[in-house]
Amino acid sequence: MKLLRSELKSEFNKKLFDMSARELPDRGTIFHDDQITCELSAKIVQFGFQLSGVIKTITNYQCVRCLCYNSKELALPIKLWLSSKEILTGDDYQDMVHFPKNIDHINMNDTISDIIYLAEPMNPNCNDNCKGLCPNCGINLNQSSCDCKLDSHDSHWDILKTF
């Protein structure tokens, strides 16, 4: 998604931008469909532009317990500053994107891809009560049960009981 400097100068409010997930660099995110919608607002600030809004998409995550894919609808806030200054330091400027004055547009694909990727849960589960896979036969215990007898006594760990 390219944003024109002239467009940013108009200080648009809640403008809709539709884009394809195929336009984004690959970060390993699996999209449920190809649609990404951004509702953005632009405001002129002292050192450039403030860009804020919401990124909406649906992604698929693989459950770490049962390995099934599940869809998750995302509505991710975005708040960035586009600045012509190359070096800005401090916590106030951590969401700063360099946007030189001699450039007439900025490509937001990398930034949008990063925001979506960072929203992925560290340990995604299909639900809190997921039973996972049988460690013996590998059957999905959410869909059916098995007759495996699991030995709950593991002598390798007995030494820890003495501590």
Side-chain angles (χ1 to χ4, degrees):
M1 175 176 71
K2 290 183 180 179
L3 293 176
L4 300 173
R5 184 176 294 278
S6 59
E7 202 172 30
L8 293 166
K9 284 182 178 179
S10 72
E11 293 190 296
F12 54 83
N13 188 30
K14 294 187 178 182
K15 184 173 180 179
L16 288 176
F17 295 89
D18 289 325
M19 63 184 298
S20 167
R22 288 175 283 174
E23 295 176 34
L24 299 179
D26 186 12
R27 303 279 193 267
T29 303
I30 301 170
F31 292 92
H32 182 73
D33 55 23
D34 192 43
Q35 189 67 30
I36 298 172
T37 303
C38 300
E39 184 181 282
L40 302 175
S41 298
K43 181 179 173 185
I44 297 174
V45 293
Q46 179 182 1
F47 47 81
F49 302 97
Q50 179 184 6
L51 190 65
S52 60
V54 178
I55 301 168
K56 295 179 183 179
T57 189
I58 302 172
T59 56
N60 288 339
Y61 298 119
Q62 189 175 25
C63 176
V64 295
R65 293 181 188 163
C66 68
L67 305 180
C68 291
Y69 283 93
N70 299 285
S71 299
K72 183 173 183 178
E73 194 170 324
L74 300 176
L76 306 170
I78 180 173
K79 188 172 184 180
L80 301 171
W81 285 266
L82 308 176
S83 174
S84 60
K85 296 181 181 182
E86 286 190 51
I87 301 173
L88 293 171
T89 58
D91 291 339
D92 294 339
Y93 303 110
Q94 63 186 358
D95 296 329
M96 190 72 61
V97 177
H98 185 236
F99 186 29
K101 287 184 179 181
N102 61 341
I103 307 278
D104 66 340
H105 70 277
I106 185 165
N107 189 334
M108 297 299 296
N109 289 354
D110 282 332
T111 304
I112 291 170
S113 182
D114 289 343
I115 291 169
I116 293 170
Y117 176 71
L118 290 171
E120 182 175 342
M122 289 178 67
N123 291 311
N125 292 321
C126 56
N127 65 61
D128 291 336
N129 299 321
C130 178
K131 297 175 185 174
L133 303 175
C134 172
N136 193 35
C137 68
I139 196 168
N140 186 338
L141 297 173
N142 296 314
Q143 297 170 349
S144 59
S145 60
C146 64
D147 295 328
C148 295
K149 302 257 191 265
L150 299 177
D151 184 16
S152 62
H153 181 71
D154 188 355
S155 62
H156 298 290
W157 300 103
D158 285 345
I159 192 72
L160 294 176
K161 293 178 184 176
T162 63
F163 290 119

